[in-house]
Amino acid sequence: MENERRNLEHYLRCHSEHHSLSDNSDNGNPLSRRASQDDAARQPRKFVVPVESTLRALLAREDTDQNMQITIDDNGPKVLSLGTAASDGFNRANVRGTYMLSNLLQELTLAQGYGRKHILLDESRLNENPVKRLARLVKNSFWDGLTRRIDASVIEKVGVDPKDWTDDPRPRIYVPPGAPEQLEYYTRLSKERPEIRLDVQILPEGRITPEYVRDLNDKPGLLAVAMEEHINPKTGIKELQGLPFVVPGGRFNELYGWDSYMVSLGLLINDRVDLAKSMVQNFCFCIQHYGKILNANRSYYLGRSQPPFLTDMALRVYERIKTEPESLDFLRTAILAAIKEYYSVWMVAPRLDPVTGLSRYRPEGVGVPPETESTHFTHILEPYAVKHNMSFADFVRAYNHGAVKEPDLDIYFLHDRAVRESGHDTSYRLENVAANLATIDLNALLYKYEVDIARTIHIFFNDELKVPAAFCAAGMKPNQCETSAAWDRRVKRRRLAIDKYLWNESKGMYFDYDTVKQEQGTYETATTFWAMWAGVSTPRQAASLVIRALPKFEAFGGLVSGTEESRGITSLTRPNRQWDYPYGWAPQQMLAWTGLLRYGYQEEAERLAYRWLYMVTKAFVDFNGVVVEKYDVTRPIDPHKVDAEYGNQGSDFKGVAREGFGWVNASYVYGLNIVNTHMKRALGALTPWDTFHHATEAGMEALRI
């Protein structure tokens, strides 16, 4: 229904209509205990609410820590009376509890934003089943809130980089030489709208060197992504329009690599196939013109990629659009792009280890990564500035341009760039060694590439796929043919190498391999389950992972990124890292669930999904609708409060969360597709896993008796 698809906006525009989107007919209404106890009526009431005065009163009474949110941390009376619509506001009824009051705050904040003076508010909106509420917000609001495009409509906003530390931040866009139509478009735009100060630059032909990327740091900017022609409905003129994409959220406002794959899983469940498809097309554009799927589309990321998921992402989209006329062309382009990326990024130096045949995160670069805050590396660089009797800024400049040589710093930043390319920044697993590691995560993903490419060529392209010049890697000839047999051989070689170097039979799990020391690592990481997602594990290995590895990682709210033993002791001088214990991330959960289901471990997948969904839902209920980047999966009460180097994205909002966080949004709707109906009801009642499990077991035992 249109009312559901545009729920929040429509509710505020048509506030006199009745919108009952929660299932309050269930006698076991999970949040009935949070509702007003002053009225015995079973039917949800409607309230006539003056927006500004009620908002002021609500915040004054309930927001005791004055952060524009109502949470269990606040010490207010947790009750507010509202005038009922049936009495035209004369009679009043109480709204009670953190959840209902925080939902009231959210509704009022939205109404205020739309300029409403009064709203007619349905009680069912305030005591809505929290699982249904969060799923509804993800589908009808959060995805739209996170959607961006790059074109004239928003270039003055998206073109400004919050990580631009220069003296004159301004919108700037770099266009690849193979997209002359975009160069003409943005050049014309800069002339027609001089007030936005758009700086349009064209990248050079040929290879982009690390030195060139370094020199762009004085004028950082966006990298152009895909555009399409459309007819302007106002003018009737054909013009270019940016293909939309979904950003992670928080301070991350660009097209990110592996975030986009995780987001696409949620988009497809929510029938936003259009967005998932356009994100694949944006990635194909990046590979064609920049040689890789970028860490993100900013100039300082030109040398850096991220974990590769393109083939699986494209195949999932194709499955949803395969009846459309140009669907096969879409799939062909995506597979050609993946082949180019495979050859030109992951299977050549410096990322390929020639001894093992395995690949590493090992991007090129010189100097200090420019996207970090100026003080991020102070503790590393200051001793060198003192050593050379230079100011901090002068030393950084001299080091970046090679006027000062410091081999130890070169090694440090080699590994730092590799950590960032891995997507796992930061972790003690990778610190000072990342560029040397053939990781289980990367090689499982490349195994999946090889399998997907082989099968796609065989099934869809008659076992022969010609590679046009636009997607030729170095050394390839235009119209060179790729066959499934060649890719099948790569599949077998990588599986053998993974078993030889990364599988540990005695411990029953996969580990990273140090290609320099030529020894297997010991850090226990949740990426061990990526092998199950990719299908590289044998049934016996999968059973070992479930029996021996899974108990090491399973915690109150799902999987921890690594074990506490592997992380080691933390202290003031050795602080927590966000990709270590005790933190859990949506990608680790989703890939593990999928891998478990692939090998038939339905019960384990449901249990892990339930744990994660409960934790996210509980924080959403108790903390004003918060949905954040990562969670401390060992904390039952406030798992979104993360004590790590980058804090947490998604928690800093006023009144109402409008975006959530991309891959957590996706994990929520994806996880709800895994758990059964009984579990969804229990989640709506905020039932912890152990309580639910014991009740279920007791019920089964009673049936047996």
Side-chain angles (χ1 to χ4, degrees):
M1 293 174 59
E2 183 64 15
N3 287 352
E4 289 193 9
R5 289 185 57 81
R6 300 182 59 82
N7 180 20
L8 289 176
E9 287 107 337
H10 194 76
Y11 170 76
L12 290 169
R13 293 190 184 108
C14 307
H15 58 276
S16 63
E17 297 182 19
H18 173 60
H19 291 238
S20 181
L21 299 179
S22 63
D23 183 9
N24 289 301
S25 61
D26 188 343
N27 290 333
N29 181 0
L31 292 177
S32 60
R33 68 186 186 280
R34 297 176 181 269
S36 170
Q37 303 300 308
D38 297 343
D39 193 330
R42 294 295 118 198
Q43 291 298 318
R45 293 165 295 193
K46 293 185 177 67
F47 301 108
V48 176
V49 186
V51 173
E52 292 294 340
S53 60
T54 307
L55 188 56
R56 285 195 302 270
L58 178 63
L59 289 171
R61 288 167 58 91
E62 302 294 347
D63 181 24
T64 58
D65 56 10
Q66 299 184 338
N67 66 347
M68 296 293 291
Q69 298 175 20
I70 296 174
T71 74
I72 62 172
D73 288 342
D74 290 304
N75 297 315
K78 298 296 170 78
V79 59
L80 187 75
S81 65
L82 299 176
T84 62
S87 67
D88 200 21
F90 181 78
N91 295 327
R92 304 185 71 81
N94 287 340
V95 172
R96 296 182 185 275
T98 298
Y99 181 61
M100 291 185 70
L101 291 170
S102 68
N103 286 344
L104 175 60
L105 173 61
Q106 293 167 51
E107 299 294 333
L108 292 173
T109 302
L110 289 169
Q112 183 186 55
Y114 282 97
R116 299 295 180 186
K117 302 301 182 183
H118 291 79
I119 58 173
L120 188 65
L121 185 60
D122 197 314
E123 186 180 33
S124 65
R125 184 57 62 88
L126 301 182
N127 63 11
E128 185 176 5
N129 179 311
V131 172
K132 293 184 177 181
R133 182 178 179 88
L134 180 49
R136 174 176 62 79
L137 289 174
V138 169
K139 181 177 182 179
N140 297 336
S141 179
F142 288 177
W143 292 137
D144 288 338
L146 290 169
T147 299
R148 308 284 188 272
R149 66 173 76 242
I150 302 175
D151 56 27
S153 64
V154 290
I155 189 66
E156 68 271 23
K157 295 180 181 179
V158 300
V160 176
D161 186 358
K163 298 184 285 292
D164 182 349
W165 316 115
T166 63
D167 294 333
D168 183 26
R170 61 187 295 188
R172 182 177 291 110
I173 190 161
Y174 288 90
V175 181
E181 72 288 349
Q182 289 205 32
L183 180 63
E184 189 276 332
Y185 172 86
Y186 287 115
T187 300
R188 185 178 70 251
L189 174 63
S190 68
K191 293 177 180 178
E192 292 174 351
R193 298 176 60 190
E195 73 280 2
I196 67 176
R197 300 177 66 237
L198 177 64
D199 182 17
V200 183
Q201 300 283 334
I202 186 168
L203 293 170
E205 297 274 1
R207 179 174 176 266
I208 300 291
T209 66
E211 291 74 20
Y212 177 80
V213 177
R214 173 203 62 200
D215 293 342
L216 293 183
N217 294 343
D218 292 332
K219 45 183 179 179
L222 276 174
L223 298 172
V225 291
M227 304 185 82
E228 63 181 354
E229 288 186 341
H230 84 122
I231 303 298
N232 188 317
K234 295 182 179 179
T235 64
I237 298 174
K238 183 185 292 185
E239 59 186 37
L240 291 179
Q241 175 180 266
L243 285 181
F245 53 89
V246 176
V247 302
R251 62 189 176 95
F252 304 111
N253 250 320
E254 300 84 22
L255 173 67
Y256 273 78
W258 73 315
D259 291 74
S260 296
Y261 170 74
M262 303 301 162
V263 162
S264 74
L265 298 178
L267 291 174
L268 292 173
I269 287 172
N270 286 151
D271 296 323
R272 297 302 304 271
V273 183
D274 57 323
L275 274 175
K277 178 183 176 182
S278 69
M279 290 164 78
V280 171
Q281 293 170 312
N282 274 313
F283 283 154
C284 293
F285 180 95
C286 290
I287 292 172
Q288 179 180 347
H289 295 285
Y290 307 125
K292 60 179 70 68
I293 290 177
L294 302 162
N295 187 151
N297 64 314
R298 293 283 182 184
S299 56
Y300 38 76
Y301 293 135
L302 273 165
R304 193 190 309 163
S305 189
Q306 273 206 322
F309 285 92
L310 179 59
T311 58
D312 192 78
M313 186 177 179
L315 286 166
R316 287 175 182 268
V317 172
Y318 174 78
E319 184 62 27
R320 298 291 296 276
I321 66 169
K322 60 187 178 183
T323 59
E324 297 179 8
E326 299 179 356
S327 59
L328 197 60
D329 290 336
F330 163 86
L331 182 60
R332 178 183 288 107
T333 300
I335 295 302
L336 288 169
I339 289 172
K340 178 178 181 179
E341 180 196 25
Y342 177 89
Y343 284 140
S344 62
V345 178
W346 303 113
M347 294 304 290
V348 294
R351 292 177 177 87
L352 177 66
D353 174 49
V355 176
T356 62
L358 297 171
S359 300
R360 306 166 293 190
Y361 296 113
R362 200 178 177 95
E364 294 182 307
V366 292
V368 181
E371 76 273 17
T372 57
E373 293 83 351
S374 59
T375 59
H376 186 80
F377 294 110
T378 299
H379 65 294
I380 299 294
L381 297 171
E382 258 186 352
Y384 290 95
V386 172
K387 171 185 173 181
H388 291 277
N389 196 28
M390 301 171 72
S391 71
F392 184 82
D394 287 344
F395 171 76
V396 171
R397 192 176 303 108
Y399 172 68
N400 283 348
H401 289 81
V404 171
K405 304 293 184 183
E406 285 292 348
D408 288 345
L409 273 185
D410 294 343
I411 294 173
Y412 175 85
F413 285 115
L414 168 69
H415 294 306
D416 181 82
R417 286 189 294 273
V419 172
R420 297 170 189 278
E421 183 169 75
S422 77
H424 291 72
D425 47 328
T426 60
S427 165
Y428 288 116
R429 165 195 172 206
L430 303 173
E431 193 168 275
N432 296 320
V433 72
N436 298 341
L437 296 180
T439 65
I440 179 55
D441 32 299
L442 175 57
N443 287 282
L445 297 181
L446 292 176
Y447 175 87
K448 184 69 160 56
Y449 258 43
E450 293 158 349
V451 169
D452 288 346
I453 292 170
R455 290 177 179 172
T456 304
I457 291 174
H458 177 69
I459 295 171
F460 296 101
F461 302 112
N462 298 318
D463 223 10
E464 186 177 272
L465 182 63
K466 291 184 178 181
V467 182
F471 290 107
C472 282
M476 294 179 66
K477 296 179 180 180
N479 295 319
Q480 174 178 321
C481 285
E482 295 289 323
T483 65
S484 63
W487 287 93
D488 282 334
R489 288 193 292 272
R490 295 185 179 103
V491 168
K492 294 174 183 176
R493 284 199 297 269
R494 191 173 301 273
R495 172 174 263 169
L496 288 171
I498 288 174
D499 281 346
K500 179 178 179 179
Y501 295 105
L502 307 183
W503 175 253
N504 188 305
E505 183 67 26
S506 65
K507 296 185 177 179
M509 59 188 294
Y510 296 92
F511 291 87
D512 303 327
Y513 181 81
D514 191 319
T515 60
V516 174
K517 293 182 178 179
Q518 297 187 335
E519 63 183 27
Q520 194 177 86
T522 60
Y523 191 104
E524 296 168 330
T525 168
T527 58
T528 192
F529 300 108
W530 292 26
M532 293 177 69
W533 175 86
V536 69
S537 302
T538 65
R540 185 182 61 81
Q541 289 170 327
S544 182
L545 284 165
V546 171
I547 295 169
R548 303 179 63 187
L550 186 56
K552 293 175 177 285
F553 298 92
E554 186 170 351
F556 177 84
L559 294 175
V560 289
S561 294
T563 63
E564 185 174 14
E565 180 182 1
S566 291
R567 181 204 63 185
I569 297 173
T570 57
S571 65
L572 290 176
T573 57
R574 194 177 185 272
N576 277 331
R577 298 288 189 236
Q578 64 176 4
W579 281 93
D580 290 330
Y581 180 93
Y583 306 120
W585 294 72
Q588 309 290 36
Q589 319 302 319
M590 287 191 282
L591 295 179
W593 303 338
T594 309
L596 289 164
L597 291 173
R598 180 177 191 144
Y599 286 83
Y601 293 99
Q602 177 81 27
E603 183 179 327
E604 288 79 4
E606 288 183 348
R607 183 178 73 244
L608 291 175
Y610 189 104
R611 287 186 180 279
W612 176 261
L613 293 170
Y614 171 79
M615 177 191 64
V616 173
T617 306
K618 188 68 163 59
F620 174 81
V621 166
D622 289 342
F623 291 92
N624 209 107
V626 72
V627 178
V628 290
E629 178 189 27
K630 55 186 173 285
Y631 293 83
D632 180 341
V633 295
T634 68
R635 292 173 70 104
I637 302 300
D638 48 6
H640 67 297
K641 295 183 178 180
V642 168
D643 179 23
E645 69 268 44
Y646 295 118
N648 216 349
Q649 300 297 309
S651 59
D652 185 19
F653 59 85
K654 305 299 182 185
V656 60
R658 301 173 189 270
E659 300 176 343
F661 196 86
W663 58 25
V664 176
N665 299 344
S667 74
Y668 199 78
V669 295
Y670 192 70
L672 287 176
N673 261 26
I674 292 174
V675 298
N676 60 45
T677 302
H678 188 38
M679 289 176 168
K680 291 176 188 176
R681 291 196 184 108
L683 286 167
L686 296 181
T687 307
W689 166 257
D690 288 343
T691 303
F692 171 77
H693 178 64
H694 292 153
T696 304
E697 288 294 300
M700 294 299 293
E701 183 63 27
L703 287 175
R704 284 192 288 269
I705 295 173

